[in-house]
Amino acid sequence: MPNAEPTNQLRERVEDGGVAVGVLDSTYSPTLVEFYGDLGVDFVWLDFEHGGPDPWDGPTVENLLRAADRSDVELLVRLPDTDPTLVRKALDLGVRNVFLPRVETAAEVEAAVKSARFEYDGDPGNRGLGSPRARRWGLRENYVAVEDRETMVGTTIETREAVENIDEILSVPELGFVFLGPLDLSVAYGHPGEFDHPEVQEAVETVRAAAVDAGVPVGGLAFGMDDAAAKAADGYQILNLGSTTGALKEVVTGWLDEFGARE
C-alpha cells in the first residue's frame, strides 16, 4: 500500500537494546542485497566512500533500495562526503540509515544531522519538503513525522580530531550512532594497518566508552565470530560481520585447496 508507514528495523533493533548484524556488499549488486535479506541479516552496508556507484546517481541507488525492500532488509549507506545536500539526496531516494565519513567536529556532524530532519531539537530542521521517492511521490501520509522518527544519521570516528572531540560529537542532538573505523584510525595515528597497535586500541576504547556512557549506539567491524561476541558484550549494537568478497574468498579458496589435495 503506498500510504503504509515504513519502519526502520535497524533503528528499532538498536533502540530496543539489541545488536544488529550485517554484511558489507562490495559488489553493489541488487541481486546480492536481496539475497542477503533472504538470508536474514539486519542490514547490508553499502560503502559509497571507498567504491561503488556515484551516490548522486538516483536510478542506481533506487534499484539497490528496491532490492532491499523486496527482502525486508535495511541498507546502511556510508556517504563519501558530509555535505548536507548529499545527505538530503540519499534520504529523498529512500535511504533511512546513513553515516558520515572522516568527520572532525561536532559542528560538521550537527549540520548533517539537522539536514536530515524537518524538525530538529525543537526548532525547524534543514530537510527540504518535496514529493520524492521517500514520500511515494506525494502519496504517503504522515511523511514528515514518519521520516523524522525513522531516519538515522550516524558518523564514522576515524580521525584523531574526531577522537579528541568525541564528547562534543556525542552531544549532537539526534545523532543516531557512531561507527568506529580502526583501519582509518591506524592511519591517523601513524600505524597503517596495525589496528591492534596500543595507540589505536586506546583511541577505539576512548570512543567506545564515551559513547556507551552517553547512550549513543556504537557500531564497528567484527573480526571473526569470537570478536563479534566480545564486541556485543562490550556494548556494540551495530556489527558488520564480513563482506561479499571476504565470504567468496573463504569459500572459493577452500574449494581450490580441497580440489588440490585430491589431485
Side-chain angles (χ1 to χ4, degrees):
M1 295 293 292
N3 291 332
E5 292 187 357
T7 57
N8 183 343
Q9 296 176 78
L10 176 57
R11 179 194 62 78
E12 289 182 346
R13 176 65 61 88
V14 169
E15 289 190 357
D16 287 345
V19 178
V21 296
V23 178
L24 169 66
D25 179 36
S26 38
T27 71
Y28 306 92
S29 162
T31 299
L32 284 177
V33 167
E34 183 178 358
F35 184 53
Y36 279 131
D38 283 338
L39 289 174
V41 300
D42 297 306
F43 66 88
V44 177
W45 175 9
L46 297 177
D47 188 351
F48 291 160
E49 180 189 9
H50 293 298
D54 186 337
W56 292 100
D57 181 359
T60 297
V61 177
E62 285 178 358
N63 283 335
L64 290 162
L65 285 158
R66 290 186 186 102
D69 290 343
R70 170 63 180 80
S71 57
D72 200 24
V73 66
E74 295 294 339
L75 295 186
L76 178 60
V77 175
R78 177 155 67 177
L79 299 174
D81 196 280
T82 61
D83 181 355
T85 304
L86 183 56
V87 173
R88 288 190 289 265
K89 172 76 169 182
L91 299 182
D92 282 349
L93 289 171
V95 178
R96 288 194 289 261
N97 308 291
V98 300
F99 64 120
L100 314 168
R102 307 195 65 77
V103 301
E104 296 185 349
T105 68
E108 187 179 11
V109 175
E110 183 169 1
V113 176
K114 187 174 182 179
S115 75
R117 293 288 188 273
F118 296 106
E119 296 182 9
Y120 182 69
D121 196 29
D123 293 314
N126 283 340
R127 186 167 178 183
L129 182 56
S131 296
R133 180 177 183 273
R135 197 178 184 182
R136 307 311 297 164
W137 304 281
L139 298 176
R140 175 159 287 150
E141 297 176 355
N142 303 320
Y143 171 64
V144 168
V146 171
E147 287 292 292
D148 275 357
R149 183 186 72 226
E150 300 297 334
T151 296
M152 278 210 309
V153 179
T155 186
T156 316
I157 304 298
E158 54 191 351
T159 67
R160 275 181 177 268
E161 292 80 5
V163 175
E164 292 167 359
N165 295 323
I166 190 59
D167 290 333
E168 291 82 4
I169 289 171
L170 291 169
S171 70
V172 170
E174 300 183 50
L175 176 64
F177 58 92
V178 292
F179 196 99
L180 279 154
L183 298 177
D184 282 328
L185 282 172
S186 75
V187 176
Y189 281 85
H191 312 288
E194 300 178 46
F195 56 86
D196 286 331
H197 191 281
E199 195 172 10
V200 177
Q201 287 299 301
E202 181 181 358
V204 168
E205 176 56 20
T206 294
V207 174
R208 185 208 66 81
V212 170
D213 287 347
V216 175
V218 182
L221 308 174
F223 300 99
M225 294 306 105
D226 289 344
D227 186 55
K231 282 189 165 84
D234 220 11
Y236 283 73
Q237 289 188 270
I238 301 173
L239 283 172
N240 185 71
L241 300 181
S243 67
T244 299
T245 51
L248 285 172
K249 176 185 176 182
E250 182 176 349
V251 171
V252 174
T253 54
W255 289 345
L256 294 174
D257 290 344
E258 183 177 351
F259 178 76
R262 296 188 180 193
E263 283 187 311

